[in-house]
Amino acid sequence: MICNQLILCLLQIIKMFNVYNTQKEKELVQLLEEVIKKDVYEIIRVRTLKNSREKKCQIMIDKVDDTQVGIADCENVNKVIIEILKLNDLGLSDYTIEVSSPGIDRPLTRLKDFIKHKGKLIKINTLFKVLDKKNFKGYIEEVKDEYILMKTKDEDDIITIRFDSILEAYLQYEHNIN
């Protein structure tokens, strides 16, 4: 019994460090990926949020060519999403669709995001304590398949953080005054 619970927990943890968290989000990502790739977009993150007042489906996109995502890009992807939702019953028909760019403090949701931003300042929140902490700020030193090496901003230590322990990771903006 405990072994099965542990396996289920580990599967949930691994899934959390990803573009989606729920089955509904996963299905939407799968339907969107082929269609929007034709338009040179990629999905950074999908989140469905539901509370007593509202239901939202937030889709974060980026451009494959690293140019800035504009309002027209968000409108184009929004139209595609609406068409996909008309054709596929994902239980999202009464959700407000929000399409946005990742912004300056973009989430890092895929291995390639960490590789791309090697050397940059990031913030990581872990699922459980690593070295007696759950929140880290530092620079990506090295990226491996299973973990990253991070140079902490305050202590200047090099620490290892496994991807399966990451709850959230975000790029951090650094303002340099010279």
Side-chain angles (χ1 to χ4, degrees):
M1 179 76 166
I2 293 174
C3 184
N4 289 342
Q5 289 174 333
L6 181 60
I7 290 169
L8 181 62
C9 183
L10 287 172
L11 288 173
Q12 289 172 339
I13 289 168
I14 291 167
K15 188 169 60 172
M16 289 182 90
F17 178 72
N18 213 321
V19 174
Y20 53 83
N21 284 341
T22 68
Q23 185 62 33
K24 205 180 280 193
E25 293 167 359
K26 179 182 178 180
E27 290 173 22
L28 181 57
V29 167
Q30 289 171 338
L31 290 167
L32 276 173
E33 277 185 330
E34 284 307 310
V35 177
I36 69 167
K37 279 187 181 177
K38 293 177 188 171
D39 293 326
V40 299
Y41 302 112
E42 60 184 350
I43 299 169
I44 301 300
R45 187 175 74 188
V46 173
R47 294 291 179 265
T48 51
L49 310 165
K50 182 178 170 182
N51 62 38
S52 60
R53 294 175 304 207
E54 63 186 342
K55 297 177 182 179
K56 285 191 231 179
C57 180
Q58 298 175 330
I59 297 98
M60 195 174 290
I61 62 168
D62 208 356
K63 287 183 154 182
V64 177
D65 67 2
D66 287 330
T67 58
Q68 246 182 343
V69 173
I71 293 171
D73 298 308
C74 294
E75 288 173 345
N76 291 339
V77 172
N78 190 56
K79 288 174 188 173
V80 170
I81 293 166
I82 289 169
E83 287 304 311
I84 286 173
L85 293 177
K86 283 180 186 176
L87 299 171
N88 300 276
D89 182 20
L90 299 178
L92 297 172
S93 60
D94 58 342
Y95 279 63
T96 302
I97 306 298
E98 295 178 355
V99 180
S100 68
S101 69
I104 199 163
D105 57 346
R106 68 179 298 127
L108 306 174
T109 59
R110 303 160 301 172
L111 180 65
K112 73 181 203 172
D113 295 332
F114 286 88
I115 293 168
K116 179 179 179 180
H117 296 290
K118 185 177 173 185
K120 297 201 177 150
L121 181 64
I122 63 169
K123 177 182 175 184
I124 292 179
N125 301 321
T126 58
L127 291 161
F128 45 84
K129 287 186 177 183
V130 176
L131 302 173
D132 293 324
K133 292 170 56 174
K134 288 178 89 175
N135 301 308
F136 299 89
K137 245 187 193 181
Y139 299 90
I140 302 171
E141 289 288 310
E142 195 171 333
V143 181
K144 299 289 185 184
D145 287 341
E146 302 288 324
Y147 62 90
I148 66 164
L149 294 178
M150 176 186 207
K151 183 177 181 180
T152 59
K153 186 172 182 183
D154 298 329
E155 294 92 22
D156 236 13
D157 296 328
I158 303 289
I159 60 169
T160 301
I161 299 181
R162 293 184 49 83
F163 286 119
D164 59 6
S165 70
I166 296 175
L167 176 62
E168 298 176 308
Y170 295 92
L171 194 60
Q172 297 290 284
Y173 176 72
E174 277 192 290
H175 181 70
N176 296 323
I177 301 174
N178 292 333

